[in-house]
Amino acid sequence: MRYRLVARERASRPMMLAAPFIALGLTCLASLILFAALGKPAGAALHALLLRPFLSWYSFTEVLLKMAPLLIIAQGLAIGFRANVFNIGAEGQFIIGAICASALPVWYPMGGVPFMWPLMVVMGALGGMAYALVAAGLRTRFGASEILVTLMMSLIAIQILNYLLLGPWKDPMGFNFPQSVMFPRDAILPTLFAGARTNVSLYFALVASALAWVMMRHHFQGYQLQVGGMAPRAATYAGFDKRRAVWISLALGGIAAGIAGASEVAGPMGQLQRSVSSGYGYAAIIVAYVGGLNPIGIVASSFLISVVYIGGDAATVSAGLPVAATQVFQGMLLVFYLICLTFIRYRIEQVPGVAVRA
Amino acid sequence: MSIIAFLLAGTLAAALPLLLAALGEMVVEKTGLLNLGIEGMMAIGAAVAFILVFQTGSHSLGFAGGAVAGLVLSMVFAFLVITLKVNEVAAGLALSVLGLGLSALFGKSFESLTVSGLPRLGLPGLSQIPLVGPTLLTQDILVWLAIPFTVALGYVLTRTKPGLVIQAVGENASVARSIGYNVAAIRFAAVGFGGAMAGLGGAYASTVYTPLWADGMIAGRGWIALALVVFGTWKTGRIAFGALLFGVLSLGELMAQATGVNLPSQLLTSLPYVVTILMLVVISRRKGPLAA
């Protein structure tokens, strides 16, 4: 007996909302089995991953700190993903944003530049955007796949970072460590709560989320991008311009990643380091999809993934899990979510008895 | 050892993990799919192979286990993308993240342990030739096997019926389907082949090339393999040439670091990526398989 998937005319809204929770449930179940199979205390591990971050005010503020870059990058990327523009190089745009923002404190290590940290954020945004737009140019001019170009450019960005930190930007007093000078106080983002590292970048991310929501809901370009992704033919009839979608998607994705990069060096790091991005650019892709490419859903998914990050740190101590457990969790979450999504978008139909090859 | 001798001896081994993964991914892409999970499949293959070789001492078992691990992960990709029609970019990246995570999880208790590599075999009679004999012409068994394998794969893909069917599926799936080919099954097989090759490449990297387990030891080789397929314009011979070139560059980076040459090694490391972007531009103008 053969089966095939038939697209539903309308995906059910309650199911769309339920999908991430079903995926989360399945991921927890699979993690329990996996951790137990590896001889780890599975219950304790899951408890640490999902609940520990809520058990103290400090760890909760750490979740919010982690959430800011994931949220802003994912909002930027989702705009492109909705229009079928696949910028998978947010990692590189993040690094370039961090580098551009660091230029200011590296050149003026004593500070004293007016509006120093706001200027750094702007420089990061511009750097990230410029870097992403290379892919837009190559895509619109030559048809080069933005998937591969942005991926390659991420790998190049890491080398640029290494070059700067091992060479011209290395802190002369830094005992030869590959890192820049520590930034002066006016190059650091203001924090939100006393005694916590959460900073104003959380506001940037929330504002970006609101903008993304407005853009998707009301703005014509948002509509165009949405149409382009979901029904290309209809979009062409409506005068939709794929080139413009490519430029806008990559520009916004680059700006968002650049701001996140700037906020990281001007925030918890306080200097430019090799480990400036612990894979935020890739994790944000997962955040964007698990959030259903919806601005509100992404707020929730970025919070969830941040909880798992902070919980993962706790689990290394309490359950002897390596930090990689959070990666496994993220990967499984996206796999299960994508599976759920298929069953929401399609229904399974039995192919009638005739010997038709599918 | 002189620099030339070092390069002659090491290039083939440095190129092999890239070559294996890229040849596998080439077949996948020829059927019209893009598997961004290669990095994860190499990583899981590397971890499983290292653990097997460490526990049993058998390299054959390690290679087989690595290939199977890559195959299993690639079947998840195939199921998502072919059966469930999931977006291939999202699915591929999810599996890369998952594979990297699993490899770190499995490898955790083997951190910094070593296994013995494979003996290097000289070609009978030829290994006496000065300079190239003991270096270029003395390699381990997998390198020797990879050469005829690459030639055979190129032959199968261009000169035989299965090769042409794969080509047809990639170029026009609906036509291939209407002639009566089972497109889904062919794609499943191609993805499985790609996954197994990536796993084997990872296994070689962790048990022969640098027979030491360190988290993150695949270090982007999967992404390089993706670049290599584009660089080689989906042709076996050019991919093999590209693998050698990328391999030499990775050694050049080591050398620049070791000898303190003034040329920034980061430039050498970036070169393959820059060239790949240029190749993409050139190919896309002539409409390669990925131009959309």
Side-chain angles (χ1 to χ4, degrees):
Chain A
M1 219 175 284
R2 299 186 66 88
Y3 296 90
R4 68 177 173 206
L5 295 174
V6 180
R8 293 178 200 270
E9 278 177 26
R10 241 198 139 88
S12 114
R13 221 181 146 72
M15 281 309 289
M16 285 295 276
L17 288 175
F21 296 98
I22 299 172
L24 180 61
L26 290 170
T27 305
C28 289
L29 200 66
S31 313
L32 275 177
I33 296 169
L34 181 67
F35 296 155
L38 287 172
K40 308 282 181 193
L46 209 58
H47 177 265
L49 273 180
L50 292 175
L51 293 179
R52 264 305 163 77
F54 296 101
L55 297 183
S56 84
W57 168 243
Y58 181 75
S59 54
F60 184 72
T61 62
E62 286 289 294
V63 170
L64 297 179
L65 177 71
K66 220 32 166 194
M67 181 177 164
L70 289 174
L71 177 56
I72 193 167
I73 302 172
Q75 295 289 13
L77 293 180
I79 293 165
F81 293 165
R82 286 196 294 267
N84 276 346
V85 178
F86 294 106
N87 170 8
I88 60 170
E91 185 79 0
Q93 294 140 26
F94 179 101
I95 291 173
I96 296 299
I99 290 174
C100 290
S102 302
L104 214 50
V106 166
W107 292 332
Y108 301 97
M110 292 318 192
V113 179
F115 301 108
M116 194 158 185
W117 70 258
L119 216 57
M120 288 165 64
V121 174
V122 171
M123 286 166 71
L126 292 178
M129 179 179 77
Y131 206 62
L133 285 184
V134 174
L138 295 179
R139 172 66 202 266
T140 50
R141 177 78 181 77
F142 302 108
S145 156
E146 80 281 8
I147 302 173
L148 292 171
V149 173
T150 51
L151 178 61
M152 294 302 118
M153 290 192 59
S154 284
L155 302 173
I156 296 172
I158 295 171
Q159 297 307 322
I160 297 174
L161 177 69
N162 285 343
Y163 167 73
L164 289 172
L165 290 182
L166 293 167
W169 283 13
K170 186 163 68 178
D171 180 4
M173 316 292 270
F175 305 103
N176 229 6
F177 279 111
Q179 53 197 30
S180 76
V181 290
M182 288 303 290
F183 293 175
R185 178 168 279 187
D186 42 353
I188 302 290
L189 301 181
T191 53
L192 299 185
F193 318 109
R197 302 195 296 166
T198 319
N199 59 44
V200 291
S201 64
L202 184 63
Y203 293 153
F204 302 159
L206 292 173
V207 169
S209 305
L211 290 177
W213 189 78
V214 170
M215 182 174 167
M216 192 183 79
R217 265 297 150 104
H218 302 289
H219 204 273
F220 185 56
Q221 275 167 359
Y223 163 73
Q224 280 186 326
L225 295 179
Q226 209 175 5
V227 173
M230 290 170 185
R233 231 234 234 98
T236 322
Y237 291 142
F240 168 76
D241 184 357
K242 175 81 190 184
R243 283 162 173 269
R244 248 181 89 186
V246 171
W247 284 103
I248 293 173
S249 300
L250 280 156
L252 294 179
I255 289 173
I259 291 177
S263 306
E264 197 66 17
V265 287
M269 293 221 149
Q271 66 183 151
L272 187 62
Q273 296 178 359
R274 259 174 138 169
S275 59
V276 56
S277 172
S278 32
Y280 288 125
Y282 299 110
I285 297 173
I286 295 181
V287 169
Y289 273 103
V290 174
L293 301 184
N294 175 298
I296 299 169
I298 291 171
V299 175
S301 63
S302 65
F303 182 73
L304 171 64
I305 297 284
S306 311
V307 166
V308 174
Y309 262 116
I310 301 304
D313 290 343
T316 55
V317 184
S318 63
L321 279 183
V323 182
T326 63
Q327 261 184 314
V328 175
F329 196 91
Q330 288 177 10
M332 287 199 294
L333 186 64
L334 182 52
V335 168
F336 284 124
Y337 177 74
L338 292 171
I339 293 174
C340 289
L341 211 56
T342 295
F343 289 106
I344 292 169
R345 287 200 182 144
Y346 301 90
R347 61 200 156 78
I348 302 171
E349 219 179 61
Q350 202 178 311
V351 176
V354 199
V356 182
R357 289 205 180 219
Chain B
M1 208 192 305
S2 75
I3 288 174
I4 306 262
F6 175 72
L7 286 181
L8 284 173
T11 298
L12 286 171
L16 194 62
L18 306 175
L19 175 71
L20 296 174
L23 289 177
E25 175 67 11
M26 174 189 72
V27 174
V28 175
E29 292 185 17
K30 270 183 179 291
T31 68
L33 299 173
L34 173 70
N35 181 359
L36 292 179
I38 293 296
E39 176 83 2
M41 289 161 203
M42 288 189 87
I44 192 77
V48 169
F50 186 89
I51 294 168
L52 283 173
V53 173
F54 186 85
Q55 302 286 17
T56 68
S58 158
H59 274 277
S60 322
L61 209 60
F63 291 140
V68 168
L71 175 79
V72 169
L73 204 60
S74 76
M75 283 298 102
V76 178
F77 176 81
F79 174 71
L80 288 171
V81 171
I82 303 167
T83 311
L84 295 184
K85 301 183 185 177
V86 161
N87 175 307
E88 62 180 348
V89 176
L93 289 171
L95 288 174
S96 267
V97 172
L98 185 58
L100 287 168
L102 286 174
S103 89
L105 201 57
F106 294 158
K108 178 69 179 162
S109 37
F110 297 87
E111 193 70 32
S112 304
L113 295 175
T114 56
V115 294
S116 56
L118 280 178
R120 293 168 72 106
L121 314 167
L123 283 187
L126 297 180
S127 48
Q128 263 67 44
I129 304 174
L131 191 59
V132 290
T135 55
L136 183 67
L137 297 177
T138 303
Q139 301 288 343
D140 59 71
I141 182 77
L142 218 65
V143 171
W144 290 131
L145 289 177
I147 296 167
F149 176 81
T150 306
V151 175
L153 183 69
Y155 179 81
V156 168
L157 287 174
T158 53
R159 301 287 155 82
T160 67
K161 195 166 174 225
L164 297 178
V165 171
I166 287 175
Q167 191 92 11
V169 168
E171 276 167 14
N172 196 330
S174 50
V175 167
R177 197 173 289 123
S178 64
I179 310 174
Y181 290 118
N182 188 340
V183 170
I186 292 165
R187 285 185 165 158
F188 254 93
V191 170
F193 175 75
M197 291 290 282
L200 189 61
Y204 182 83
S206 71
T207 63
V208 183
Y209 184 58
T210 45
L212 168 142
W213 183 256
D215 184 18
M217 60 92 52
I218 285 303
R221 283 191 180 89
W223 307 126
I224 297 180
L226 281 164
L228 203 45
V229 178
V230 175
F231 178 88
T233 60
W234 297 269
K235 291 193 171 65
T236 321
R238 292 185 192 174
I239 288 177
F241 169 74
L244 290 175
L245 192 66
F246 288 18
V248 168
L249 286 173
S250 73
L251 290 179
E253 185 198 349
L254 281 181
M255 265 173 18
Q257 277 167 8
T259 54
V261 179
N262 225 351
L263 183 80
S265 67
Q266 293 82 17
L267 199 68
L268 280 177
T269 315
S270 306
L271 216 53
Y273 312 131
V274 176
V275 174
T276 299
I277 292 176
L278 293 178
M279 287 303 282
L280 260 174
V281 167
V282 174
I283 300 158
S284 306
R285 297 176 75 176
R286 290 191 273 122
K287 271 249 175 240
L290 268 172

